[in-house]
Structures are given as structure tokens and as C-alpha cells.
Amino acid sequence: MQDGAQRRRWEHWWIVLRFCLLFYFGKQVSAQLKYSVPEEVKEGSVVGNVAKDLGLDVSSLVQRKFRIVSGSKDILFQVNQNNGVLYVHKKIDREQLCDGNGVCLINLKIVVENPLEIHYVGVEVADVNDNSPTFSEREQHFEIAEHTPTGTRFQMQSARDADTSINNVRLYKLSQNDHFDVEVRDREEEKIPFLILKKPLDRESRAEHRLLLTAIDGGNPPRSGTLNVTVTVLDINDNRPVFSQETYTVRLQENVPIGTLVTQLNATDLDEGSNGAVVYSLGRNLERKVLDIFHLDSATGDIIVKGKIDFEETEVFKLDVQASDKGQPPLTVESVVIIKIVDINDNAPDVDITSLSNVIPEDSKPGTVISLISITDKDSGVNGKTSVIISDNVPFELKPSFQENTYSLVTKGQLDRESISHYDITIIATDLGHPSLSVIKTLSVQVSDVNDNSPEFSQKPLELYLAENNTPGASIYSVSASDKDVNENAVISYHIIRGDGSMNDMTSFLNINSENGNVNALKSFDFETIKTFNFQVVATDSGSPPLSSSVTVNVFILDENDNAPVILSPINTNGSAEGVEEIPRNVNAGHLVTKVRAYDADVGYNGWLLFSLQEITDHSLFGLDRYTGQIRTLRSFTETDDSAQKLVIVVKDNGNVSLSATATVIINAVEPKEAFAASDVKSMMKEDEENNLTFYLIITLGSVSALLFISIIVLIVIQCSKPTDYSSKYLQDANYDGTLCHSIQYRSGEKRYMLVGPRMSIGSATGSASNGNTLVIPGTRRRGSGEVSGGFILSKFCCKYPK
């Protein structure tokens, strides 16, 4: 009993020991983890913390050689021995790793030592929609006959998508059309598209259909691919020929020559090829006489006369005709050709014209009789009845007389010789026979002229651009008018309407040739004095009574370069263009020494001034601005430089033939103390000068204002007193040339001043001591006064007059 009990105890212990051993070793190998990672993730992306999930001590992973010992696929993943993280080592493409739509699982074996442990980790690679559906070919072509019944299916290419079933092709769409639709059938895991005919095809309406099939997958967002589908509609013989007319009716004269074309049949078939080829034939029940007279060309449809036609024998022929295509079986259509024979009328009417006058004045009243017309015809019955008409594009008509077939030709509207001076009236007389015969006669009528048109000028007003300094007595313009009348009614004479002799009236200086309209100027015009004026020319014809018209000629004087530049500064007391400037020797480069001021009375390029050095003592010491006339130092003075420097400046305008003036500037370099003393003296002189200047400026401005007010009143009176017809549209002052300012100078004792005001002619700004190129200004140079540059004067007293 004891032995049995002891044996059973050992058996129980052995079972417990085996269970413990099995539990211990099973713990080392049975650990299993599973992760999921999408394909195409970036390298280094974390899959999961294997050590943490297995309950391993992270600090001992390095010592225990924590690593992956899987097969060839382990290169896709790696573990970090420092933290136990499983991460993506290489970019994963599920489509390369796994085929089909099943689960794509990668099994990894992870080992740690001391003690040895083996753990299995499964990583499921999830599919992403990274592939678009594609077709094996870019285009698919179908040929479908037009009689194909609706509902017929045509299998199309299937699109392929490398992704799994979730992201695989889900549906197909067909571009919008009236005849086709798409149907999708499932075949195992593949979707097959079918083209379904939903509306009958008609090749005659549309011979080809172009469709677009789109395959769309189930991804989010979805991807798609396209296939071009072309359907060519094949023809069948489903259309009969159609004649262009249901019944052909033809009128044919008797006795026409053999070979005459009677008519041409025309039938069309909408089919193509042999199904659309048409042939013509005559009906089988026609009389033998008809077949002997007419022939039908089976290819062209021409009906041709091949026998003699006699109206007295047969008046009407009826031909049954057929048109058939060459299809199998052929389709036929019938029509009828009715040929009406027309009797011959062999006598034409005779027209007799008795003219009263072949010339008629253009002012003749409507109803004036021109001629008498009588019509006769030798035929009898209907063929002897006649009618007469005249051409409908003439202002004449026929009035029937009390006697049959007798007419009067009279005017029915106003005549205008200037529009039409000659009429050829066509008279057509026609009998009522079948066919009718006609005779044509022409009556010529000449329209004589009356003076009903005034002379006309080609344009109104006329514009004359005249260069100043024209030669007195020479022709400056030619006025020409035309008259639509002829002979003496069109002979034109010219004269100028003379003005009232006022200051702005230029007609006294103009003369015109009454025969040819040549205008001569009796004086030479000066742009600086007058810039524009106008005059009127009257043209009168020689009719009875005479007629006339007038035109305004606007004359614009063009500037020429006839004024040389005038030096304003420097100017010496004797009137010569020479000045002396003193500057300290210690000035730096760029110091403004002085400025040469000049003026030109011309405008535009003729008044644009440029400054240049003609002579200079030392080229390295001073420089001249060619546009402003400023003289500046180019460097500092040295001990070897002369104290006195001489500069000769040439001022030129930009005319075609340039005019110029010269100025001399003497520059004395003095010691700084002397320069300061001279500056104090100038300041004292400036104060005295300004005190006197204020008093004289007040007087001058008051005088100018009063004079301006009186001038405005006088100008208004003159403008109001002018006749309206002869007033010019140019109302600006003749002495004002559009520039901003000009100068006026006056003298008080030993001092001279210059007031800047509205620009006037150069003659009013030249002093008594000036020569041809010099304008007198105060001898003391004032940098605050006006500047002259490029023919314009700028100053704080400048007045801007509106144009």
C-alpha cells in the first residue's frame, strides 16, 4: 500500500515538474506581437515599441543583444537597441511584397540573450491608394452596323489597378452621348465593362462616335484612368433614292435641233458606296413614239431630244422615269416628266418712234412729252397682240393714247443733269404668241444744264501752314472750288472778303487771283508778332443768276530760326556781354562761380539753347553745364594757378541753321578776407537796392495792372463788334506764343531793373543800350533774380497765362 501511495506521489510530482518546465520554456518562445503599418511611409517611421510591449528591461537590451534575426525581408525593418523601438528601415511597396488581395504580413524573429529568448513579431503592411487604374491600350475601336439592335453589348478593355480590392477599380463611366451606355459585370474579383447600344445608329446622321471611358478606383481620394473609344458606323442599304422634284415640268419649243437637252433628272441616295450609286431608266409602259423622240442617259439623268418634235402633232409628253440604287436588293423610286411643247411665233412686232426733241432741260416738269411711239405686228390672233415696256431705271414712262398700240413717252420725275446727263431709253415690244417674239429699240435723250449748283470747296475750313519771313508778293496758297454745272454755269471767280481794317485784320495784306484762286501775301509775316489769323474766300459761278459759297482759311504762321540768342547775364555797363566774378582761392571742387543766362525769341527747337566753351584759360579748373549755363570749379585752386581766369562761352540754338552769341566771364581768385569784404559791400548795396526796388515795383505793378485791365476791355469790345460769320475760332493773343514768361525792363537813375511778366516780342524787351545779341539788365548780379534756360525765363514774379 505504501509503495503504491509513494509511486502515485512521484507521479504527481513528475506531472507538476513537467508542467513547470513546459511553462518555463513555453514562456521563452511563445511571445507574439502584431503591428500594422501603411505602405509608402517614410524611412524611420516608428512601427511600435517591441521591448515595452514584451515587458523587457530597456536598459539591458544592448547587453542582451536585442536584434532581429529574420530572413531576407528583415532589411525593411530595424530595432533600436537603446529604446526597443521597431522602425521602418526601407521604403515599403506592398505591391512588390505581396500578390493578390489577401493580408500582407511580414513575420519578424527577435532574439535576446542571457537568458535566450525568441519573440515573433508580425507586421501587416496596409495598402494605400498609390496606383491609378490603367488600360493596356490607349484606344479601342469598334465597327458596328447601323441596323444593329439596341441592347447589344460589346466588351471593352478592363482597367488594371495594382492596389488591393479596397483601392481597386470600383466603377466605369462613359462620356455623355445619346447612343451608348456602359454596363459593368463582376468576374471573380475583376470588373468587366461592356459598351451597350441604347439607341439605333444611323450612318447618314453620324458616321463616327468618339467616346471616353473612365475607370475609377475605390480609394479616398479616388484615382482614375481613361480609354478612348471610337465607334465606326457601317452602312446598309436602308435609304431609297430621292428625286429632287416629285414632278418635272418642262416647256420645249417645237422644231428644236436633235441633241437638245430637255432637262436633267437628279436623285440622291444617303447611303454610301454601291448602296448610294443611282442609275436612271424610263418606264416600261411608254409608247413607242415617245421612245423614238427622247433618250434618257442612265448615268447622268439627262433627257435628250433624238427625234423631230411637232407641236401640231403632240402638245404634251409624259415620261415615267425611275431611279434605282445598286444595293442588294436594289431600292427604286419613280417620278414623272411632263414636257409641254410650245408653238413657234415667227413674226416679231415693229416699233415706230416719232421724236419731238432729243434734248430736254433738267428743270422740265413731270409729264413733259418726249416722243410718240406706235407698235404693229404682222401676226394675227394671240400672236398679233402686243405689249410694250421701257427700261425701269429711267425717269420716263409710257402713257397709252386713245388709239390702240399708240403711246406717248413722258417724264415722270425731276431730272438732274449733274447725276445723269444722258439717257438711253430701251423700248421693248413683245407679242403674246407662244413663244413670244420681241423687238428692242433705243431712244437717246440728252439733258441740258441749268445753273442749280453752287461752287463747292473740298473741305471747310481750309488750313494754311505758312513759314514766317515769306517773300512779299509771292503766292502762299491756292484756293480751288468745283461746280457740278457745265459751261458758263461752272466758270468760277474768287474774291476775298475784306475786314474792317483793325489791327488783327490781315485781309489788307492779301490778294487773290480771281481766275485761279492763287493767294498772294503783300507783306512778310513774323511769327513773333502774329501767330495765326483767318480770312474768307468767296467763289462765284457765272450762271444767271450767279450762285456762290464761301470758305474760311485759317492761317498758322510757322516759326523759323530767325532770332539769335540774347545774353542776359553777364552784361557790362557798356552793354557788352562781359562780366567779372571774384571767388575765394580756398573754394572746393563743385563751387558755383556764376551762371550765364541767355534768351531766344524763337520757340521749340529754334529756342532751345546749349552752352559751350569756346575759350578757357585752364580746362582743368572750370566746367560749364551745357544745358543750364552754370560755371563750377572742377578742382581747388593751387599756388601755381593764375589769379585771373578768362572764359569765352558760346550760346547756340538748335535751329537747322544754328545762331549763336558769345559771352566773356573774367574770374578773379582772391584771398578769403578780400572776398568777405567784397561780400559785405555787396550786401549793403543789395539792401539799398531792395529798398528802392520795392517802391518802383509797386508803381510798375500798378501801371501794368491798369494797362492789362484796359486791354481786356478793348479786346472784348473788338471781339463783340466783329461780324459773326467772319470771326475766327482762335481767340488767343497774337503776341503770345504759349511760353510761360518774358521780361520788361525800366530805368531809374543809374540803376536798371527787370520785371518778369507775360511773354511778348523780343523788340519790347530790348533796351536802348542793347545790340543785336544783348539785353540790358542791372550791372550787379542777383542770384535771386530770374533765370534764362532753353528760351524760357523763370522767376518768382512769373505769370502763367492760359492758352
Side-chain angles (χ1 to χ4, degrees), residues 354-561:
T354 302
S355 296
L356 301 180
S357 176
N358 290 333
V359 179
I360 181 172
E362 61 177 324
D363 59 351
S364 298
K365 295 181 179 180
T368 302
V369 179
I370 304 300
S371 64
L372 299 177
I373 300 173
S374 61
I375 310 296
T376 59
D377 193 309
K378 295 179 179 180
D379 293 323
S380 60
V382 177
N383 292 334
K385 299 293 183 180
T386 60
S387 64
V388 61
I389 59 173
I390 64 172
S391 48
D392 56 0
N393 58 347
V394 294
F396 303 96
E397 62 180 349
L398 289 174
K399 292 290 186 180
S401 177
F402 64 92
Q403 188 176 357
E404 187 178 5
N405 295 332
T406 302
Y407 304 90
S408 298
L409 181 64
V410 300
T411 59
K412 68 174 182 179
Q414 297 292 338
L415 302 178
D416 185 8
R417 189 210 60 82
E418 288 70 37
S419 299
I420 302 177
S421 61
H422 177 83
Y423 291 95
D424 287 326
I425 305 172
T426 302
I427 303 172
I428 304 174
T430 307
D431 60 25
L432 303 181
H434 295 283
S436 61
L437 297 179
S438 302
V439 65
I440 299 174
K441 283 200 173 182
T442 301
L443 174 63
S444 296
V445 177
Q446 191 75 28
V447 181
S448 60
D449 183 49
V450 296
N451 191 26
D452 56 347
N453 290 280
S454 301
E456 294 181 356
F457 292 93
S458 58
Q459 65 182 59
K460 289 185 179 182
L462 299 175
E463 292 183 351
L464 167 61
Y465 294 90
L466 177 63
E468 64 174 332
N469 303 322
N470 56 292
T471 303
S475 175
I476 61 173
Y477 198 57
S478 180
V479 178
S480 178
S482 61
D483 196 312
K484 295 181 180 179
D485 296 322
V486 294
N487 301 328
E488 68 277 359
N489 295 331
V491 177
I492 300 174
S493 61
Y494 304 90
H495 71 275
I496 295 176
I497 298 178
R498 302 299 176 180
D500 54 2
S502 61
M503 180 180 63
N504 292 329
D505 181 23
M506 296 289 113
T507 57
S508 59
F509 301 105
L510 301 174
N511 191 17
I512 188 170
N513 189 313
S514 62
E515 295 181 357
N516 55 27
N518 289 337
V519 180
N520 300 83
L522 304 180
K523 64 169 290 186
S524 178
F525 296 102
D526 184 11
F527 175 81
E528 287 72 33
T529 303
I530 184 170
K531 295 175 176 57
T532 180
F533 65 90
N534 59 47
F535 62 93
Q536 283 195 324
V537 176
V538 177
T540 306
D541 61 25
S542 301
S544 179
L547 300 177
S548 64
S549 63
S550 62
V551 66
T552 300
V553 182
N554 295 317
V555 183
F556 300 93
I557 306 301
L558 302 179
D559 183 44
E560 288 188 342
N561 192 23

Side-chain angles (χ1 to χ4, degrees), residues 473-767:
S475 175
I476 61 173
Y477 198 57
S478 180
V479 178
S480 178
S482 61
D483 196 312
K484 295 181 180 179
D485 296 322
V486 294
N487 301 328
E488 68 277 359
N489 295 331
V491 177
I492 300 174
S493 61
Y494 304 90
H495 71 275
I496 295 176
I497 298 178
R498 302 299 176 180
D500 54 2
S502 61
M503 180 180 63
N504 292 329
D505 181 23
M506 296 289 113
T507 57
S508 59
F509 301 105
L510 301 174
N511 191 17
I512 188 170
N513 189 313
S514 62
E515 295 181 357
N516 55 27
N518 289 337
V519 180
N520 300 83
L522 304 180
K523 64 169 290 186
S524 178
F525 296 102
D526 184 11
F527 175 81
E528 287 72 33
T529 303
I530 184 170
K531 295 175 176 57
T532 180
F533 65 90
N534 59 47
F535 62 93
Q536 283 195 324
V537 176
V538 177
T540 306
D541 61 25
S542 301
S544 179
L547 300 177
S548 64
S549 63
S550 62
V551 66
T552 300
V553 182
N554 295 317
V555 183
F556 300 93
I557 306 301
L558 302 179
D559 183 44
E560 288 188 342
N561 192 23
D562 57 347
N563 291 280
V566 177
I567 304 297
L568 300 179
S569 173
I571 295 180
N572 208 340
T573 55
N574 61 0
S576 61
E578 181 175 337
V580 179
E581 298 290 335
E582 292 184 353
I583 62 173
R585 294 185 66 89
N586 61 349
V587 296
N588 296 324
H591 176 73
L592 177 63
V593 178
T594 186
K595 181 176 182 178
V596 178
R597 297 174 175 84
Y599 163 84
D600 195 310
D602 295 318
V603 297
Y605 281 98
N606 295 331
W608 182 16
L609 302 182
L610 295 176
F611 301 83
S612 62
L613 285 170
Q614 183 183 34
E615 180 182 341
I616 185 172
T617 304
D618 190 345
H619 285 278
S620 66
L621 190 54
F622 298 100
L624 173 67
D625 190 301
R626 66 177 302 189
Y627 299 108
T628 64
Q630 293 181 349
I631 301 175
R632 294 182 182 271
T633 57
L634 299 176
R635 60 176 177 80
S636 301
F637 278 88
T638 62
E639 296 180 357
T640 59
D641 292 329
D642 294 336
S643 298
Q645 299 284 332
K646 180 180 179 181
L647 287 78
V648 179
I649 293 93
V650 177
V651 183
K652 292 185 177 181
D653 58 29
N654 276 268
N656 290 332
V657 179
S658 180
L659 302 178
S660 63
T662 58
T664 303
V665 178
I666 305 298
I667 303 174
N668 293 328
V670 299
E671 296 302 325
K673 294 182 180 180
E674 298 177 9
F676 291 146
S679 175
D680 293 340
V681 172
K682 289 182 179 180
S683 298
M684 295 176 62
M685 294 176 61
K686 179 178 179 181
E687 292 178 358
D688 295 338
E689 220 173 77
E690 287 180 349
N691 293 332
N692 294 331
L693 178 62
T694 303
F695 174 76
Y696 291 114
L697 281 177
I698 293 172
I699 296 175
T700 304
L701 288 175
S703 302
V704 171
S705 299
L707 183 59
L708 178 61
F709 180 75
I710 294 172
S711 300
I712 291 174
I713 294 175
V714 172
L715 180 60
I716 292 173
V717 172
I718 293 174
Q719 294 295 331
C720 293
S721 62
K722 284 185 177 182
T724 304
D725 295 337
Y726 306 135
S727 60
S728 172
K729 66 179 180 180
Y730 301 94
L731 301 178
Q732 63 185 34
D733 187 0
N735 294 329
Y736 176 62
D737 62 1
T739 56
L740 294 178
C741 300
H742 217 296
S743 62
I744 303 174
Q745 60 176 337
Y746 62 92
R747 182 187 298 275
S748 176
E750 296 296 325
K751 298 180 180 179
R752 290 184 296 276
Y753 300 91
M754 182 171 65
L755 174 65
V756 178
R759 183 171 183 177
M760 57 188 66
S761 64
I762 187 62
S764 63
T766 306

